[in-house]
Amino acid sequence: MKLGLAIEELHRSENHLARVLLAVSDRHKADHEVFYVARDIAGWSQRHVQELARIGADFGVDLDPEPEGEPGILEKVQQATSDLLGRRPEPGLLLLADLRHVHREAAGVSLDWELLAQAAQGARKRELLNLAERCHPDTLRQMRWANAKLKESATQALVS
């Protein structure tokens, strides 16, 4: 069933968004707000991954219910190597780049939730529609947080 493919894609994109948020949190430990908020809202995507895996079984899709979690050792080694070689941009500019990335990823996940909701409604799959209506607002909040943090940080990072 095509709904299974949509669930599978959303599962993948939510997993990716959680990893992006955790990586941003990790890179910006000195900024306590970014560190803690990014971790908190990554938890929303991780919970979505679990719920999508649960409902995916009803549509013939076998998805891993465990979110991928923290960035892997290879990603951490690459970041450390970049830091040592002096390729790390100024922290303010890095934060802006990271927040833009979060915003774009969350926008994509938001569109995926909208598509899934439309399909669920058309196919009269009430449980799937309820899941979309429950989870999509979290993704919108993730996107709004990144946007608000960008606005808050842009002037200082770009002018000073």
Side-chain angles (χ1 to χ4, degrees), residues 55-75:
I55 205 165
D58 296 344
F59 294 89
V61 181
D62 182 26
L63 300 169
D64 187 354
E66 288 303 311
E68 290 178 11
E70 297 289 329
I73 189 72
L74 180 59
E75 292 162 313

Side-chain angles (χ1 to χ4, degrees), residues 14 42-43 65 84 88 94 100 113 118 121 126 140 149:
E14 281 282 13
L84 289 173
R88 184 177 181 130
L94 179 61
R100 287 180 70 237
W113 278 116
Q118 290 297 314
Q121 188 171 19
R126 191 73 196 141
L140 292 173
K149 194 69 182 156

Side-chain angles (χ1 to χ4, degrees), residues 72-84:
I73 189 72
L74 180 59
E75 292 162 313
K76 290 182 180 185
V77 168
Q78 287 173 333
Q79 182 64 46
T81 302
S82 178
D83 292 350
L84 289 173

